[in-house]
Amino acid sequence: MGKYYLAVDIGASSGRHILGHLENGKIELEEIYRFENGMDHKDGKLLWNVDRLFGEILNGMKKCKELGKIPVSMAIDTWAVDYVLLDEQDRILGDTYGYRDHRTDSMDIETAKILQETELYARTGIQKQIFNTVYQLMAVKQQTPELLQRAKTLLMLPDYFGFRLTGNKLSEYTNGSTTQLVDPATFQWDKELIQKLGYPEDIFLPLQMPGTKVGQLLPEIQKEVGFNLEVVLCGSHDTASAVMAVPQASGDGIYISSGTWSLMGIESLKPIINKDAATANFTNEGGYDHRFRFLKNIMGLWMIQSVRHEYKDAYSFAQLCDMAEESKNFPSRVDVNDPSFLSPDNMVEAIKKYCQKTGQPVPESVGELASVVYRSLAQSYGETVSGLEKIAGRTYDSIHIIGGGSNAAYLNQLTADATGKTVYAGPGEATAIGNLLAQMIYAEELTDLKSARQCVRDSFEIKTFVPAK
């Protein structure tokens, strides 16, 4: 039995602890703990309960002890852009906001008074999204400036959890890049930009690459979980970890990291920052080994997850796919990236209202709603591929779909049809696998990214979907 590694993968709707090890050159996975996650609605705000999340991290670690499978290291990945501000005693200042909170509404206008959007994109290569950290910090500056004055450290959420485990504060690069405050040429914070925007530059710690040691567990944590290990940085932005696990050794092709969000793009050794990329709202997020994830954020499965939830989770996703297929002739489509779908009070009503507003038939049944969502998503993928190929100046013959959405066979087929490209689907646990790969390369069980991707290809089933003729 090889060494165990622990991937703590926390998404916006659930988290899981996955143990991984190499056996006969193949990666074996075992999910040992899973927990619910979500933003808390409190006094009209959308907040993360970081103490609860940290408790869940420890609960999953205790499971390792119960199973007698003690990992040599662990790494934590989460979603992007959200952070904590710490005071001089390392206590959290103010609330820990979730990215769907509306405090950032109009903060793009406030930021543009200091720096035009075109210049912000030219400097960072990061697409404009109203929830980017650059706008979240502008909200703090405008609404609660005393918090910025008292802040001593800014940590993205996975870095904060690493600090709670080890007592060491490190800032990881891939998640840092999503703030829209990083210089893609230096792989470090753009201090001049930070000063211009009036944020305190000394709260930003030097950015560290995945594969850096954070530290050993603090004595009190060792006592609580019953063992010690090394905490290591993975690509702590979950998409950075997921893209590491694209099962294509050359790393040269289109991918969709499909979950609550769909991140669709290519991997590039240099950022692609030009007018066309800016107009199409493509981003250049940091990847493993100084690579760039040139991609577009698409609303993803958030819409169907919300619809399902509003029907009291009465249907499985497989049933929703079947019902969507039965209603495949329902003609209406929505722009899945329309802001009205980001955090509506009621997703079903938001979809109906959009169809009404655009003069299309209004979906009434669950099947019609599911059909609108899935077909609109596939249509968005088709449009994104066209834009991507135009900007990249080349065509691609296939798309790799990784992450939880790779299990949605109906959507995979729609994607193949909408893009005219062969779709390879899997692995489903791409984020956790990428998290583990970074640890295995750090431990020298795998030599580099290329061999790690080949290992993924050898270890997991990949399904093929061919465009309908």
Side-chain angles (χ1 to χ4, degrees):
M1 186 67 74
K3 296 179 206 161
Y4 285 105
Y5 303 87
L6 177 63
V8 179
D9 169 29
I10 310 178
S13 52
S14 70
R16 76 292 312 252
H17 288 56
I18 292 184
L19 278 175
H21 68 277
L22 285 174
E23 199 167 317
N24 302 321
K26 291 186 178 180
I27 301 167
E28 298 285 339
L29 301 179
E30 182 183 0
E31 184 182 298
I32 58 164
Y33 189 70
R34 183 178 277 264
F35 56 92
E36 289 296 307
N37 192 21
M39 298 173 201
D40 294 337
H41 292 256
K42 192 177 172 189
D43 306 325
K45 305 170 189 171
L46 287 171
L47 306 176
W48 297 113
N49 184 336
V50 287
D51 287 334
R52 184 184 75 78
L53 286 173
F54 185 67
E56 294 287 19
I57 291 171
L58 297 181
N59 288 340
M61 292 169 73
K62 289 173 192 169
K63 212 71 184 156
C64 297
K65 178 73 174 169
E66 278 175 38
L67 294 167
K69 295 177 178 178
I70 309 298
V72 293
S73 68
M74 68 181 283
I76 302 169
D77 65 77
T78 73
W79 61 95
V81 306
D82 290 338
Y83 63 91
V84 294
L85 293 173
L86 302 180
D87 68 11
E88 56 195 9
Q89 261 99 46
D90 295 326
R91 293 174 305 207
I92 292 180
L93 289 162
D95 294 309
T96 305
Y97 280 89
Y99 60 86
R100 292 190 195 274
D101 184 86
H102 285 285
R103 72 182 174 143
T104 54
D105 291 358
S106 80
M107 287 304 133
D108 52 340
I109 297 162
E110 293 300 320
T111 305
K113 289 175 186 172
I114 305 167
L115 195 73
Q116 287 299 316
E117 274 174 24
T118 49
E119 196 186 333
L120 188 56
Y121 186 84
R123 289 186 82 117
T124 65
I126 297 297
Q127 76 180 122
K128 178 191 172 178
Q129 306 226 72
I130 197 62
F131 48 69
N132 285 353
T133 321
V134 67
Y135 298 127
Q136 293 200 40
L137 289 173
M138 187 56 71
V140 181
K141 184 181 157 188
Q142 298 280 334
Q143 298 155 17
T144 49
E146 69 281 359
L147 296 183
L148 273 185
Q149 285 154 18
R150 289 172 54 205
K152 286 285 175 266
T153 318
L154 177 142
L155 289 177
M156 306 304 280
L157 291 188
D159 299 329
Y160 173 68
F161 296 134
F163 163 60
R164 289 275 298 263
L165 288 169
T166 65
N168 297 330
K169 298 188 195 103
L170 269 70
S171 277
E172 190 272 332
Y173 161 69
T174 67
N175 214 341
S177 75
T178 69
T179 61
Q180 212 170 1
L181 293 166
V182 170
D183 182 340
T186 63
F187 306 98
Q188 286 297 336
W189 301 109
D190 185 335
K191 290 293 176 79
E192 190 187 324
L193 170 60
I194 288 164
Q195 284 170 356
K196 230 177 210 183
L197 294 170
Y199 306 151
E201 63 173 296
D202 55 355
I203 65 176
F204 296 89
L205 303 176
L207 292 170
Q208 311 287 338
M209 286 291 162
T212 303
K213 178 179 174 175
V214 181
Q216 302 282 331
L217 297 180
L218 287 164
E220 60 267 33
I221 302 290
Q222 289 180 41
K223 194 174 173 189
E224 185 166 352
V225 301
F227 57 88
N228 193 12
L229 51 60
E230 268 187 329
V231 179
V232 176
L233 293 179
C234 61
S236 69
H237 178 202
D238 50 13
T239 313
S241 276
V243 170
M244 267 191 88
V246 172
Q248 187 181 47
S250 66
D252 183 27
I254 297 176
Y255 57 77
I256 303 175
S257 177
S258 177
T260 303
W261 290 89
S262 286
L263 296 311
M264 185 173 199
I266 56 173
E267 197 169 61
S268 176
L269 296 175
K270 289 196 173 82
I272 302 170
I273 304 174
N274 57 38
K275 198 176 172 193
D276 287 344
T279 305
N281 214 18
F282 274 80
T283 200
N284 292 270
E285 293 173 352
Y288 186 82
D289 195 23
H290 299 86
R291 287 153 191 264
F292 292 90
R293 292 173 287 120
F294 182 69
L295 59 82
K296 186 162 188 171
N297 271 290
I298 299 166
M299 200 70 80
L301 297 174
W302 159 249
M303 290 177 71
I304 199 69
Q305 288 165 352
S306 300
V307 168
R308 178 175 178 256
H309 203 53
E310 285 160 22
Y311 278 94
K312 305 282 186 273
D313 298 332
Y315 308 100
S316 69
F317 288 114
Q319 285 172 311
L320 288 171
C321 282
D322 291 343
M323 292 157 90
E325 198 161 5
E326 283 165 23
S327 300
K328 66 183 176 189
N329 294 325
F330 190 77
S332 301
R333 302 285 180 269
V334 300
D335 173 5
V336 294
N337 294 314
D338 190 88
S340 62
F341 302 126
L342 182 62
S343 55
D345 293 330
N346 186 293
M347 185 64 79
V348 170
E349 287 309 311
I351 294 167
K352 289 182 174 184
K353 202 178 284 183
Y354 185 98
C355 290
Q356 204 166 20
K357 189 177 74 181
T358 50
Q360 302 181 84
V362 175
E364 296 299 340
S365 69
V366 186
E368 286 172 353
L369 282 159
S371 177
V372 170
V373 172
Y374 283 121
R375 290 185 169 268
S376 298
L377 196 50
Q379 182 175 297
S380 178
Y381 292 163
E383 290 161 2
T384 304
V385 164
S386 300
L388 181 63
E389 291 186 329
K390 188 173 166 223
I391 295 162
R394 57 170 294 191
T395 55
Y396 298 87
D397 57 8
S398 63
I399 298 172
H400 283 270
I401 300 184
I402 51 173
S406 67
N407 299 315
Y410 177 61
L411 181 56
N412 295 340
Q413 188 58 57
L414 287 180
T415 304
D417 297 344
T419 61
K421 301 189 187 300
T422 302
V423 165
Y424 297 105
E429 289 290 0
T431 302
I433 293 164
N435 178 318
L436 294 166
L437 293 177
Q439 296 182 63
M440 289 172 176
I441 295 170
Y442 169 78
E444 298 181 351
E445 278 216 74
L446 293 170
T447 50
D448 55 17
L449 182 58
K450 188 175 179 181
S451 65
R453 283 179 165 153
Q454 187 58 52
C455 187
V456 174
R457 203 179 175 90
D458 295 340
S459 303
F460 300 99
E461 183 191 3
I462 313 296
K463 291 183 174 158
T464 306
F465 297 83
V466 180
K469 290 282 184 285

